[in-house]
């Protein structure tokens, strides 16, 4: 795993599973602090993913997501889930059809059980 950073400090975690055919599940920490809210990341065998950390996209500020961004438009971001459930945390208010949502400390936490889904601002 490694991260890249844009000019605004937003990052992408690049996660690689180099095992041949074996799915892996793990938590990620940086300097002793859990990333992705302590949520588990799921990677299929021989696959890779780029996951947002503190990234601005489509007018939303994505604190973290256990799903990959597949599309960006004004006021919305589309994701592809890596497992049975994806978790997306957005600073401020956000919504996603069919998601379980909660609002904690100024952040919307969305739990989604679909392969592809769109998070909208507001």
């Amino acid at each position: 795993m490694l991260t890249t950073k844009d000019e605004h400090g937003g990052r992408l975690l690049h996660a690689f599973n180099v095992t041949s055919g074996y799915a892996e599940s793990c938590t990620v920490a940086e300097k002793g602090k859990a990333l992705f809210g302590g949520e588990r990341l799921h990677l299929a065998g021989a696959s890779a993913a780029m996951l947002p950390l503190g990234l601005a996209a489509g007018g939303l500020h994505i604190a973290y997501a256990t799903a990959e961004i597949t599309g960006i438009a004004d006021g919305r971001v589309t994701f592809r889930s890596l497992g049975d459930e994806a978790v997306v945390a957005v600073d401020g208010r956000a919504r996603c059809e069919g998601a379980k949502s909660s609002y904690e400390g100024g952040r919307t936490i969305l739990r989604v059980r679909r392969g592809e889904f769109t998070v909208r601002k507001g």
Side-chain angles (χ1 to χ4, degrees):
M1 293 186 193
L2 60 102
T3 62
T4 55
K5 186 187 314 187
D6 68 16
E7 65 274 10
H8 305 291
R11 299 190 303 163
L12 287 172
L13 174 88
H14 303 266
F16 302 89
N17 179 355
V18 295
T19 63
S20 99
Y22 296 101
E24 295 291 335
S25 179
C26 66
T27 57
V28 181
E30 181 178 58
K31 298 180 183 174
K33 183 180 177 191
L35 297 180
F36 301 98
E39 298 289 338
R40 296 189 74 74
L41 303 181
H42 305 283
L43 289 171
S47 71
M50 294 187 303
L51 305 173
L53 286 167
L55 188 70
L60 295 109
H61 187 267
I62 304 162
Y64 63 85
T66 64
E68 284 190 295
I69 294 173
T70 59
I72 300 170
D74 189 31
R76 66 182 187 266
V77 178
T78 301
F79 292 88
R80 178 182 63 87
S81 180
L82 302 179
D84 293 336
E85 180 180 72
V87 179
V88 178
V90 177
D91 291 341
R93 296 284 183 180
R95 65 190 190 285
C96 175
E97 185 178 323
K100 285 185 179 179
S101 67
S102 61
Y103 191 73
E104 307 165 14
R107 184 175 282 171
T108 302
I109 309 294
L110 301 160
R111 294 183 175 279
V112 186
R113 292 188 159 275
R114 286 197 318 271
E116 186 166 288
F117 58 93
T118 300
V119 173
R120 299 179 191 288
K121 189 175 184 175

